[in-house]
Amino acid sequence: MVMKLLFIVETLIVFYASASSARYKNIPHYEQQFPEVLYQWNQLDYVFPNENVLQAALADQSFVPGVGVPVDVQPYYNQAGDLKVFLTTPRFGMGVPYTLASIRDNSSIEAYPSYEWHNRGDGKWDCDKISSAFRTAITECEQLWVLDSGMAADEFKCPPQLLLFDLRNDELVHRFRFNNSLFTASASLFVTNVVQVNDPPPAGNCQDAILYVADTDHHGLVVYDYGKDEAWRVENKFMYPDPDFGTHTVAGQRFNLMDGIIGLSFDEQYLYFHPMASITEYAVPLQIINNSTLFAENREAAGDEFKAIGKRSSPCVPSAIDSKGIWYCVTFNPIELLAWDIKKNMIEKLAIRREHLEFVGGLKVVKNKDQQDELWMLSNRFQRIASDTVNRNEVNYRILKRRLDR
């Protein structure tokens, strides 16, 4: 316990000191390469099954051009090394024809797994379909976990759910619906999901998996045990937003957003998390939050196990950890891509073009066909959406990639 506390204290001191750019400790083996822009859009180019379907969607306004805002990106390399890229466009408002898509070679997007799988937002809600996909996660078993918030235009249309698709045949293999003990319809918004697989291939089949799901508006974490098909809710004071950091500045534009817990990532020992309205990173041992009995009677149990481990110069939204234990996020003001070696207590600002990374909503680390780590980022200029200053004559959305082979 003494060594554990010492690690936490040392990390807090180093990461806090790193918030000043003059005190950054460089990780010497990084190559200073700029992330590569793979896709970019002024507005998303939705594909429909045929012209009649498109015209019908325009007529009933289940499709309003320019409304869709991409939030998350999820690259997928299959066993043959072929790449498929997924995109989510949650229903912040109506007019989004589908909210989970894959990207074609020409940068247009098409509904995944099919157009028929999606509620259209035309008033006819089928809760067996996808209502509002927020973020996704892919396992080592070529499976795609989709977090469907069930919310459209700030109203719950369906209960939140987790959907598991087999990427080898694009078929649904599992569904978990959140019950009323896990969310509050008038307050909750589930936005982030990450998955820890304890029985990966070739020996395992990804049945022993734990998902962590962030409820940003009602400030909690849902832990879902896939193998047991059971879930429990965890709450802690560190999951709340900090009022001192509820006003955000991105590329010179200010907006207010008091989002709580949103960034989730993990290594072999800890879950790391932070609210959006915060500059502090927190950690809790996986063995604590994976123990459902601790939280059966008290959602706020084991409070002393949650620790602040560092401060950044500015808030960020998603985070991810690579296979070497390096933690990444893109801060708001200034816009910086941070790489933090948690175990060695070193942090570096990686080379970027700031105009390409205005509000990163999606960030993933995946292994490519050569088994090298890649960092993928989706920038959506959310600050312009929040301030209603989107210019459709400019590039507003980008997907970028950076190799992490140093």
Side-chain angles (χ1 to χ4, degrees), residues 91-371:
R91 285 194 168 100
F92 296 122
M94 307 312 290
V96 179
Y98 46 85
T99 72
L100 175 63
S102 60
I103 304 175
R104 292 183 168 186
D105 290 340
N106 63 355
S107 295
S108 62
I109 67 173
E110 59 184 344
Y112 182 88
S114 70
Y115 185 76
E116 291 72 26
W117 245 99
H118 291 256
N119 280 308
R120 293 172 49 218
D122 58 357
K124 302 172 184 177
W125 295 91
D126 179 350
C127 294
D128 286 335
K129 295 184 178 181
I130 300 172
S131 298
S132 184
F134 231 102
R135 287 187 173 88
T136 59
I138 287 180
T139 72
E140 297 91 325
C141 287
E142 299 187 273
Q143 295 175 330
L144 174 70
W145 283 97
V146 180
L147 174 60
D148 180 2
S149 72
M151 182 174 284
D154 295 327
E155 291 184 7
F156 270 106
K157 303 298 185 180
C158 293
Q161 60 180 340
L162 289 165
L163 301 170
L164 180 60
F165 291 95
D166 187 334
L167 291 171
R168 292 162 294 193
N169 55 24
D170 299 325
E171 292 184 356
L172 181 73
V173 295
H174 185 72
R175 182 197 305 267
F176 175 75
R177 298 186 198 275
F178 292 65
N179 61 40
N180 291 336
S181 70
L182 301 173
F183 77 101
T184 301
S186 61
S188 292
L189 176 60
F190 292 100
V191 296
T192 307
N193 59 309
V194 294
V195 56
Q196 176 193 34
V197 175
N198 298 311
D199 62 337
N205 57 6
C206 297
Q207 293 300 301
D208 183 5
I210 304 288
L211 280 87
Y212 307 100
V213 182
D215 181 353
T216 191
D217 279 4
H218 203 42
H219 321 314
L221 181 78
V222 171
V223 183
Y224 174 58
D225 188 320
Y226 172 47
K228 296 178 180 178
D229 195 28
E230 64 178 23
W232 53 97
R233 187 175 173 95
V234 178
E235 295 180 357
N236 183 268
K237 63 182 180 181
F238 294 144
M239 299 177 185
Y240 282 71
D242 184 336
D244 289 340
F245 297 97
T247 299
H248 310 281
T249 301
V250 180
Q253 291 189 285
R254 291 165 61 89
F255 64 98
N256 296 319
L257 190 57
M258 285 290 292
D259 275 2
I261 180 172
I262 195 166
L264 299 177
S265 53
F266 61 88
D267 58 20
E268 65 276 6
Q269 290 183 292
Y270 294 94
L271 177 75
Y272 303 93
F273 67 93
H274 59 261
M276 176 176 165
S278 173
I279 61 170
T280 306
E281 195 69 21
Y282 302 97
V284 59
L286 295 175
Q287 65 178 359
I288 296 298
I289 56 173
N290 289 354
N291 185 350
S292 61
T293 59
L294 283 176
F295 303 95
E297 302 296 331
N298 180 10
R299 293 175 173 178
E300 298 185 31
D304 291 343
E305 296 289 345
F306 294 77
K307 305 292 184 182
I309 61 168
K311 291 183 182 292
R312 297 175 295 278
S313 59
S314 171
C316 65
V317 179
S319 61
I321 293 179
D322 69 14
S323 60
K324 294 181 174 62
I326 310 298
W327 178 96
Y328 302 90
C329 80
V330 179
T331 58
F332 290 169
N333 185 33
I335 298 172
E336 294 175 337
L337 172 55
L338 302 184
W340 174 32
D341 188 328
I342 300 172
K343 291 184 174 62
K344 295 181 180 179
N345 292 334
M346 295 190 297
I347 192 168
E348 183 174 7
K349 295 182 292 185
L350 304 187
I352 60 170
R353 294 181 173 89
R354 287 180 173 172
E355 66 273 17
H356 289 173
L357 292 174
E358 295 180 16
F359 197 98
V360 170
L363 187 149
K364 301 290 173 61
V365 172
V366 300
K367 286 195 176 295
N368 61 23
K369 62 183 180 180
D370 299 319
Q371 294 302 299

